[in-house]
Each structure stands twice: as structure tokens, then as C-alpha cells.
Amino acid sequence: MRSGERRPAAPLCSAESEPGGVAMEPAWRQQGRGRGRGQEGQGERPRPLQKDRPGVPAGRGEKTNPGPAKGESVQSKFEEIRRSNQATALRLVESRVSSSSSDEDNDDDDGDGQKGRILESTFTSYTSQTGGDASALTRTGQYLSDMFQSGALTCLICIASVKRTQPVWSCSGCFSLFHLPCIQKWARDSVFLISSATDEDFGQKQHPWPCPKCRTEYPPSATPNRYMCYCGKLQDPPADPWLVPHSCGSICQQELRPSCGHTCLLLCHPGPCPPCPKMVSVSCLCGKAKPLPRRCSNKSWSCQQQCGKLLACKQHTCTQLCHTECPPCPRVSLQRCVCGRQTAERPCASPRWTCQQVCGAHLSCGNHTCEEVCHDGACPPCPRSVSRSCPCGKTKSSLPCTEEVPPCGDTCDRRLSCLKHTCSMRCHRGSCETCRQEVEKACRCGRHRKPMACHKEYLCDAKCPQTRNCQRHQCRRKCCPGNCPPCDQICGRTLGCRNHKCPSVCHQGSCYPCPETVPVRCSCGSSVLVVPCGRERSTKPPRCREPCRLPPSCHHRDGEPHRCHPGPCPPCARPCLLPLPGCRHACPQPCHDLVLVRSQQVQLAGPWEQPAEPTFMKKALPCPPCQVPIPTSCFGEHEVSPVPCHRQGRFSCGRACGRPLACGNHSCSRECHLVTDGNQCEACEEGCGKPRPPGCPHPCPRPCHPGDCPPCSQMLRQRCHCRISTLYLECRKLTVADEPTRIQLGSCSNQCPKELSCGHRCKQVCHPGVCEETCQQKVKLRCPCKRIKKEVMCSLAAQSELQCDLVCKDQKRKASQVKEAEQQAALEEEQKKLQEELEAFEKRQQRGGRRSKRRGRREEVDEEQERARRWRRRCTTFLLLPLGGALLSAAAYYLLSQA
């Protein structure tokens, strides 16, 4: 096939005979193609008619016409099958060649080199403007790289790969590629569903259709009907192996976004156009600085000078650095409210504010005041000065604004809330009562009727059996009038990815494609291929140039270096070199940690069962036995003989054992034998005859034993030094102890109970001999005024005496002076209070004659008696005072005489 000839599309989408385009079925519904099948409508080879084939009858297979000779029929069938096989093989080769990436089994660098040259030619016109800087081409370069990556491009509608020779359509919002038949069928189905759900006159309105991925809406006129390149210049672009797939190879020239007046300089490409690389001369944001050459996509720059423009408040200037539009004034100033009554600090950016006070100004009528809140301008006219009507609205009157319009006395006749009956009450103020007339009402769905109050709504309990707009669920709403609400349940149908369920509200037609993407990684994780959800199971991991990072499956720490690959690593070919069990030699065989071993065959039940094919499994084989000769001695190590390492074993030479027994004093007399836990040398049965340590009267209780005899464990009983406690001591401790240790062992570790001559108890621990007379107990000594205190030892207390110092004497003198002053002040204060009370009492006695005229004698006597009792109590309290006693006695005598 020539390079300029357009190859036919691979049979991934089955065609349907529908007007307006060719529909595509999902990949999982496509039928497989075998020998000679699925060739109608594909354009490979038309089947010849029966009448054109010589020697073949018109009614093939009929018994009425047996046909020509048998040789011609067999030859024609053979030729037909051969041509069918050639056509099938040709389609298979074309699908392999027209794939969007090179063959995955080809690991050479030719594919990567060709990809690099194509990308370089695409970016040349752009990098020539940027001086070789390609940092702005990252996003566009990712789309271009996906065009050459196996499995990276997937049609989200049919979940199938997008091949190089298949007609495609690219979304202008998300730049996703879809098969042209798939997007045509998607657009028709979307418009049909929207029209059937919203239009009463089906098909009268033009509804938009959305992109399956980004939901960008397109008008019906934008439904793709032709296969165009990315820039839209060439229809049916040829599949050129030296160009980007589905590209025309010319300069893109699409208008850049955001619009700057320039066009894209790349060759026809998928994905978004890169930022504008042109150089333009622009000034700074504030316009003060001179224009500088800048990149068009990044032409905004700041001169870092203060703006200084007058702000909207007309009072302050902008203090920010170079910028485009000045912000509102951030300062605060005194601003009056709308009515001008109050003044407050307000931001300069919002000077208009209300004080939330009622206006209260007199209206034009002179009787009422304005009830509006803080307003400017003149107050509105009095609402009561216009012509008014009675509450029912039948009678109108022009009364002064100070008078209320009285009810007219007629029937109200206003419409009630039911809008069917009128109010039967007399003209009244306020709202009318609820309609209480009994009428026969039909329910909302119209199935039942029932007499009830007019203001109540009648709803029956019948549930609506109609299906909602999703055509899946019933309405089930009680007393539904027929306008069933849209379905509010979640769709929940499994999406084409077979991993997720549709999260949208229940709907008709097909669900949107799964928006999730899944990364497919190589074994080491360095190479990542992002594919739509659902393609991760059929997509092979991307090829990786990094070395394999998988840990070796055998015991060798550093396996043979090789590239990253899917699946298990190749078997190790190094020597095993593991230490053999039971010896220190290394295994010389090749590594056998994972070896293919034929599994055991299942025993057949009888001759009628066919034997299954042999299966192999990876298994770790043990190391072979060691064959190195090792010199080996006998059990008693009397002689040495060479024995193979894996069979080495000690033997009996027949001599006497001669090993020393456990006692260390005698040797074994048995024949040469192996000493194990169950086969030990004979035991010595003689008693211990070793001398005992000096001072120990007890014999050794053990039989004949090696080494020294164990210490004597017998216990001795004796009294402590203070003769109070009984101690039990081991014999071995007393025999080996020196004199200080013996004194310590004979002590009970308690305080000595003896008393010293001073009366205190001895502070020493239980000890032999007489206690020391020097008492170490501390006692306190005080001066005569008890201010100074001091601690001394009891043995020195009799020789020490503590005297008062000048500070003690001075404090004692000041305390006596303060006490005398307080007593004198208290006495003078009490005398003053008594004198004031006596004068007040004399004044009340002088006014006694005038009070007797207005009150009865009985009340005056009771009052004087109560006053006398109070004076007695007070005088009794101060009878013992040294001064003022005579005055108190006279006052008491006077009060008693008055009582």
C-alpha cells in the first residue's frame, strides 16, 4: 500500500443504516470476524453473483440441478476461501501498522527517534521565536506524546483505542478525541432524549448536545459530519507516518486564547495552543514608564513606582505600587448619614449610610409625623389625606386624616381564600374568616369525590402508577394529578468501564462515560500511562528504560542487570554458593531457588479418562549432598579417618572411653561410645571425702563431685547484741566472716533500746558493749521573751543560755505604748458617744409635754420604759471603765427616776 493512500479503518465500530451518519456500537458488543465473515459494507471484496460464476447453478444446494463436475466446484471453493483469507490477513496487517504507536514488542530506539523528530518538527516554528525555550509547551507536548503512546488515546464512548487511520473528532473544550461515528450517534441520542422529555411538539426546537467528557454544549448545527484535521483546514487528512496522527502538517494559525491578535505557530496539533511567543513593546500597568519589549503572553509588568492617582473619594491618593485599576479608598473619615442627624467614622469608599432612626418630621397635614427611616429629600404626603374607603371597599369618604373611616354596616362580600364564596359578615376591619361552607370536592387526581369544608384540600390515598421521566421507576405519589415530578433517584447503572456506577439522577438513554482516569505504571513505577477507567485491564504497561528494581527472586542480593519489564524476572544463572546444611561448604550447582518442575499427575480413575497435559510449576529445590571428604574422629577421639561430608559420622574404635567423670576425680571405664543426652558416661557412686572448711562441724551432704564442696547451708540460732531478738544465721556466713562482719551479722538492725543519762534513747543500731554518753538529740533554747530560738545538741544544752537582745526590749516597750494609746482612744470615743446620747435624751424630755397632747399617756410610758432599758444595758457594759463611771451612774439614776 502506498504511503499517500488512506488506509481503511480497522473494524472496531459496526455500521448501522441510519440517516445522517454512521453509528458505532461499543467494543463489547462488536462481533468477532472469522474466515470470510463481516465483509459486506467494508469495501474489501464484493461477493460474485451466482449467475456470473460459470459452472455454479443458480439454486445452490438444490437437488433439482446437480451442477457440473465435482472438480470445478472444489476448485472454485478453494479459490474463494483463499481470497477470503488474504483479505483477512490484509486487514490484520493494516490494523497493526495503523496503530497510534509502534509495536510494543519492538524495543529498539527507532520508534523513539522518529517520535522525537516529529515533535521537533512540530515545535520548530515556536521555539524559533522563543530562542529555544520550550517551557510553555509542556501541556501541548503531553497531548502530542499521548498520540504516540500505546493505549493512551481511548474513545470514551465505545471504550476502544483510537487508531491512526480512524476518522475522529476533537472537543474544543477538553481536547478529547472521539471516533466520528461515536460522537455523531452521541449527538443524535442526546438531542432526541432532551426533545422527548421537554418538547410538547417533538422536534420543533433546536436543543444543544454536550461533550461526553467536559459537558461543553454544541448547537445541532455543530454536529460533526466530516473528518477534519485539528486546525480544520483539511478534510480527510492522510495517515502520514512522519506527521502527528490526524494532522494536516501545515501551520495551525488558530486564534490564541486569550485573544492578542496573533495566531498559533505550531504545526497542526492536538490539545490547546501554547501561549503567544511574539515580542511586543508595552508600557507598565500604570503607564508612567517607557515601553519595553516583552513576551506577548506575559506582557503585563510593573514599574514598582507609587501610583499617586486621586481616588474616588476625591480626598486621598492611591499609595499602591504600579497597577491597572485603583482599589477603593481604604482610609476612614467622618461622614454624615443620609438625613444629616448623625456623624460617624466611615470608610471613604462607602460614604452613604443610614442611621436607622425614624424621620419623625411633621407631614404636610400637621397631624402626623413621617415614619420612614433616615431618608433624604422631602417627606412623602400623609397617607390618610387621600380619599379612603370603608373596610369592605363599598363606601368612599373624604374625612380628615385624624378620623378613621367607620364600617358601612353592609355585608362584607369580599372573596374568601377559596376564591369561590364571599364573606357573609358585616363590614369589618381585618382579614375575613376561613370559608366553612360544605361542598363536594374532587381529589387532585380526579378519581374520588367527597363532601367536605371548602377551605380544605381533598387528597386521596391512591398512588400514581405512571412511570417518571426516566422510564424506569414509578411515581408512587399519593393523589398525583398526572404531572409526575422528575425522578430523584440515583441512576446507579454500571458504566462502560465496569468499575463505577452512574452517579447522576436517573435518566433515559445511555449514561455519560466514566470521567475517572487510571494510571498504568511499569513495574518500577517510573513510566506512567494515564488511560480512561476501564482500559487498565487491557492496556499493557508502558515501556521503561530504567533498570529493573524488583528484588531478585533468588537468594542473590544483586541479580543480573536488565531493564524494567512486566512479569517475573528471568531465572538466575549464577552458581548457588549457599552454605550446605550441616557443613561449611558452598553449593557448586547453578541457582535452583525457582526451577520449573513437572507437577505430579493425578491418578486416572479408569481407561476411559484421558490423561491431562503435564503442568509445570516453579519450586525451590534443595541443595545436593556435599561430597567433600572430611577427616572424622571416633567417639572418644582416639583415631581420625576420612569420610564424605554428607555421610560423615563418628564411630567406636573399641578402646576404653577414658573420659573424666562428672566428679572430676575418676574416669569412664566403658567402651568408646558417643556421649549424648541419653547415652552419658557412667556416674561415680562414691561419697565425698574432701576436708570441710575450718569452723564448720557439719559433713558434706553430696556424693563424690568435682571442685570444692558447696558452702554449708545449715542454720544456727543465736541472740542479737541487745538480747531482744533471736537471729537465724547460715553456718557458711559465720565461718568465712571477719570480726566486723560477725558484729554486723549479730545485730538485729533495730535501734538500741537503752536510755542515756539525759533521758533520751540511744540512737545507734543494735551494738555490743556500753552505749556512748554523748547524746546527739537536738533541743530548742529560747530567750525569756520567746522571740529568739536556737537548736543545740542535748549534750551541750546544759552549758548554753540564750539572753534577750536590744531588739526584744525595744519591741516590748513599743507594744506597751501602743496598747495604752488604744485604750485611751477607745475610752475617749465612748465618753463622746455617751455625752451625745445624754444631750439628745434631754432634748426629747423637753419636748415630752407637747407630744403628750397628741398621743396617749399609755404610749408615752411604754416608750420611756423601752428607752430606759436600752440605757441600762449600755451603762452596764461600761461600768467597770476607770474613767467616766460617775457620769454613767448619774445618767442611769436619772433614767430610772424618769421611768
Side-chain angles (χ1 to χ4, degrees), residues 525-577:
S526 300
S527 301
V528 181
L529 177 63
V530 180
V531 298
C533 183
R535 291 278 298 174
E536 68 275 5
R537 291 183 290 269
S538 59
T539 302
K540 292 184 178 181
R543 290 178 297 174
C544 181
R545 300 292 182 181
E546 298 293 328
C548 180
R549 301 177 185 175
L550 294 177
S553 57
C554 61
H555 62 275
H556 296 107
R557 293 186 178 180
D558 49 345
E560 296 181 358
H562 57 281
R563 286 185 179 180
C564 179
H565 58 87
C569 295
C572 179
R574 294 185 176 185
C576 179
L577 300 180

Side-chain angles (χ1 to χ4, degrees), residues 40-89:
E40 290 77 13
Q42 299 295 332
E44 289 86 4
R45 184 187 59 84
R47 189 182 297 272
L49 299 178
Q50 299 289 344
K51 62 181 181 180
D52 297 335
R53 295 171 58 185
V56 180
R60 186 178 181 181
E62 297 180 359
K63 297 181 179 180
T64 57
N65 190 1
K70 184 176 180 181
E72 293 184 4
S73 177
V74 172
Q75 184 66 24
S76 62
K77 289 182 180 179
F78 177 79
E79 292 296 331
E80 180 183 356
I81 293 174
R82 183 179 63 82
R83 287 192 294 268
S84 177
N85 290 342
Q86 289 179 354
T88 305

Side-chain angles (χ1 to χ4, degrees), residues 735-870:
T735 55
V736 299
D738 53 359
E739 188 62 25
T741 307
R742 287 177 179 271
I743 295 175
Q744 184 178 0
L745 293 175
S747 174
C748 62
S749 301
N750 297 325
Q751 186 178 355
C752 180
K754 302 174 185 179
E755 290 187 0
L756 302 178
S757 59
C758 61
H760 296 119
R761 186 177 175 181
C762 180
K763 294 294 183 178
Q764 296 183 1
V765 183
C766 177
H767 60 89
V770 183
C771 299
E772 297 181 0
E773 288 298 332
T774 303
C775 182
Q776 302 295 330
Q777 182 74 22
K778 290 187 177 182
V779 295
K780 292 183 179 180
L781 295 180
R782 292 181 179 270
C783 66
C785 67
K786 306 299 183 180
R787 188 186 72 83
I788 303 175
K789 61 181 179 179
K790 183 178 179 182
E791 289 186 354
V792 296
M793 290 190 299
C794 179
S795 58
L796 303 177
Q799 304 174 5
S800 302
E801 183 178 1
L802 197 60
Q803 299 294 335
C804 291
D805 56 0
L806 297 178
V807 177
C808 295
K809 296 177 181 179
D810 191 16
Q811 289 183 357
K812 186 175 182 181
R813 184 179 67 259
K814 289 181 180 180
S816 60
Q817 291 177 359
V818 171
K819 187 174 182 180
E820 291 176 0
E822 290 178 354
Q823 291 179 357
Q824 185 66 25
L827 184 60
E828 292 176 358
E829 184 68 24
E830 188 63 30
Q831 288 177 0
K832 184 177 179 181
K833 289 182 179 180
L834 292 175
Q835 184 65 26
E836 291 176 355
E837 291 180 0
L838 182 59
E839 292 175 358
F841 179 73
E842 290 176 355
K843 291 180 181 180
R844 285 195 297 272
Q845 289 296 328
Q846 293 175 4
R847 294 193 300 267
R850 289 178 289 180
R851 292 182 181 177
S852 60
K853 296 177 182 180
R854 290 177 294 177
R855 296 187 299 179
R857 183 64 181 171
R858 180 77 177 177
E859 295 178 357
E860 293 179 0
V861 171
D862 294 341
E863 184 179 353
E864 294 297 335
Q865 288 179 356
E866 180 64 25
R867 190 179 295 111
R869 282 196 295 270
R870 288 199 301 269

